[in-house]
Structure formats: C-alpha cells, structure tokens
Amino acid sequence: MTSRRDEDLGGMVAALQNQVAELTQRLDDQTPSATDAPAALRFPTVEAWVTGLFLPMFGWRVDGQRWHWCPQWWRHAEAIWRLELLWRSWEVSRLAATGMSAWSVEVDRHIHELLGDDGPFRQCRAADDDRAARHTELQPATAAAAPDGWWE
C-alpha cells in the first residue's frame, strides 16, 4: 500500500524528470551538431583572397611613392601575417549582418602598415612601363639571449 507521501514524492520525481528532459532538449537544440558544416569559405586560400579581392579593391592605392606593393608579397613574413589576418577576418565578417563595418576599421588600420612607407614592401616595387619589378628582402632585427636566470 502506497502512502499519500509516496505518491507526492513520485509526482515530484516525475515532474523533475520532465524538466530535465525539457532543458536537455533545449540545450541540444542550441548546440551545433557534428553534422553542421561550417560556412564555406568564399576564398579557399589567402593567395586567392589577395588576387580576387584585396588587390582589385585596394591595389589602386599602390603608386610606388607613398604606397608600396611587392608582386612577391608571399616572401614577406609580415605581409603574409597581415594578409592572412585580413583574409580570415573578412571571411568571418562577411557572414555577420554588420560585420563589414568592423572589418573596414581593421583593414584601414592594416593597410597603412602593409602598404605604407614603413611597411614590408617599402624597398620593393611592382613593374611598370619602364622599370622592372624589384623585390628586396628586409633583414629582421637580431636579439641577444637573456642572461641565465633572467626569467626566473
């Protein structure tokens, strides 16, 4: 014979099990499943992005005086880093409703560092009608090793 108290406890357990099942279902609905594929990249590589978007959009700035470009941009570590950063952030930003607004601030900041007078291409030049292209490797700074125990 079950008591009223046992029935009340049984009802409470059943109600809690239903709440747990409902909350679990809500979490499952919000969590991406393993079968959800990430959004496809518009440009599969940084090189495709540079030639397909960056140069058509920003290459007009290159004048060899204030703005510099190197046709062998992929030989400049800083350029690779900045262009890779811009490509990857562009891929993410293009999917957000207002993502391009934030990306424009990012590209405006990096373009001065990349193409400007002090950028990695400052001693390089693209070919034009009367001059051949020039690529100049800039030597990185050196660093002395810290004395023993310095970092302890």
Side-chain angles (χ1 to χ4, degrees):
M1 180 168 172
T2 60
S3 69
R4 175 83 173 136
R5 181 175 175 211
D6 290 340
E7 288 177 10
D8 288 345
L9 288 175
M12 290 172 66
V13 168
L16 288 172
Q17 287 174 329
N18 286 337
Q19 285 180 334
V20 167
E22 181 183 329
L23 291 172
T24 301
Q25 185 61 50
R26 285 185 191 175
L27 285 173
D28 289 345
D29 291 345
Q30 293 176 3
T31 305
S33 71
T35 60
D36 289 345
L41 296 174
R42 177 76 52 91
F43 295 95
T45 64
V46 66
E47 184 174 11
W49 182 82
V50 166
T51 58
L53 187 129
F54 183 79
L55 288 177
M57 186 174 291
F58 300 105
W60 64 268
R61 293 176 183 251
V62 175
D63 61 9
Q65 303 300 314
R66 180 173 173 224
W67 299 98
H68 308 273
W69 176 253
C70 182
Q72 296 177 31
W73 61 270
W74 34 265
R75 293 178 120 184
H76 298 268
E78 180 184 351
I80 293 169
W81 176 75
R82 288 186 187 281
L83 290 166
E84 179 99 11
L85 182 147
L86 288 170
W87 163 55
R88 291 183 183 277
S89 64
W90 181 87
E91 288 286 358
V92 171
S93 297
R94 74 182 177 85
L95 299 174
T98 60
M100 284 294 120
S101 178
W103 187 81
S104 71
V105 172
E106 188 172 351
V107 74
D108 286 348
R109 183 171 48 92
H110 283 283
I111 204 163
H112 290 277
E113 297 297 324
L114 186 64
L115 303 179
D117 284 336
D118 293 328
F121 306 139
R122 68 183 169 268
Q123 294 180 352
C124 300
R125 72 169 177 238
D128 58 24
D129 293 337
D130 58 344
R131 295 186 310 183
R134 179 180 69 213
H135 169 77
T136 304
E137 297 282 340
L138 299 174
Q139 296 301 314
T142 60
D148 290 340
W150 185 265
W151 302 108
E152 296 173 0

